Amino acid sequence: MNETKVRELQAVAKQLRCNVLEMIGVGKAGHWGGSVSLAETMAVLYFNTMRVDRNNPKNPERDRLLLSKGHAALIQYAALCELGFFPREELKKVKSLNGLLQGHPDLTVPGIEAVTGSLGQGLSLGVGMSLALRLDKSPSHVYVIMGDGEQSEGQLWE
């Protein structure tokens, strides 16, 4: 990767952090640390590595990203917003009854691949998706992001 691309991705990561800050705002609940610690990862995956299409979010040949630590959904929302999956105005309505974006990933949000939040289950979902894609001889990739706290929970621990 050349220096220009690295600088572009650094700028994207900074914007993603700003988006998370905008969503949390003052006096709102949110997982700031768990979300913004993934800014570079989300920038590289969504803006450099993964094949996704805002105009066809269910394209069978898309790559999939599962955020197993669903409490960090704000960073994924930030990336999907920057990619144009939904209007920027939704960031201001996060976790509200009239908003699209809730506290954990939800399948009603374009670009979200699985409902997560029960820690320790994202890897199992990702393996299942990967095996199904392999059976279909699909070129798609599945990425699973897990948190350190869930390493001793649920199916991961068992």
Side-chain angles (χ1 to χ4, degrees):
M1 187 179 302
N2 64 41
E3 283 188 43
T4 302
K5 187 63 175 178
V6 169
R7 282 194 296 276
E8 287 173 16
L9 292 172
Q10 287 172 334
V12 168
K14 182 178 179 182
Q15 182 59 52
L16 297 181
R17 285 188 175 92
C18 289
N19 289 355
V20 171
L21 184 58
E22 181 180 346
M23 284 183 267
I24 292 177
V26 176
K28 279 188 170 179
H31 295 276
W32 166 255
S35 293
V36 298
S37 67
L38 289 173
E40 283 79 13
T41 301
M42 290 295 188
V44 169
L45 286 175
Y46 275 121
F47 296 85
N48 185 67
T49 306
M50 291 176 56
R51 288 173 297 142
V52 295
D53 181 359
R54 70 175 181 215
N55 297 315
N56 188 7
K58 293 296 182 185
N59 179 344
E61 294 191 359
R62 74 192 180 280
D63 291 332
R64 284 114 168 123
L65 188 144
L66 303 175
L67 187 57
S68 186
K69 59 179 217 167
H71 57 278
L74 300 182
I75 193 70
Q76 191 170 19
Y77 296 158
L80 292 171
C81 176
E82 289 302 315
L83 288 167
F85 276 78
F86 49 81
R88 181 165 293 284
E89 296 78 46
E90 287 297 329
L91 297 181
K92 291 181 176 62
K93 298 186 285 184
V94 72
K95 297 184 189 180
S96 68
L97 292 176
N98 63 344
L100 174 67
L101 311 174
Q102 296 307 311
H104 284 90
D106 186 281
L107 292 175
T108 59
V109 179
I112 296 294
E113 297 293 341
V115 175
T116 60
S118 296
L119 294 176
Q121 296 184 3
L123 184 59
S124 299
L125 287 166
V127 168
M129 285 182 180
S130 295
L131 291 173
L133 290 166
R134 181 187 294 170
L135 286 173
D136 290 342
K137 296 182 176 32
S138 171
S140 301
H141 293 90
V142 177
Y143 300 88
V144 178
I145 297 175
M146 298 182 297
D148 61 340
E150 71 179 320
Q151 300 300 311
S152 60
E153 298 222 12
Q155 298 167 21
L156 291 173
W157 185 79
E158 293 168 4

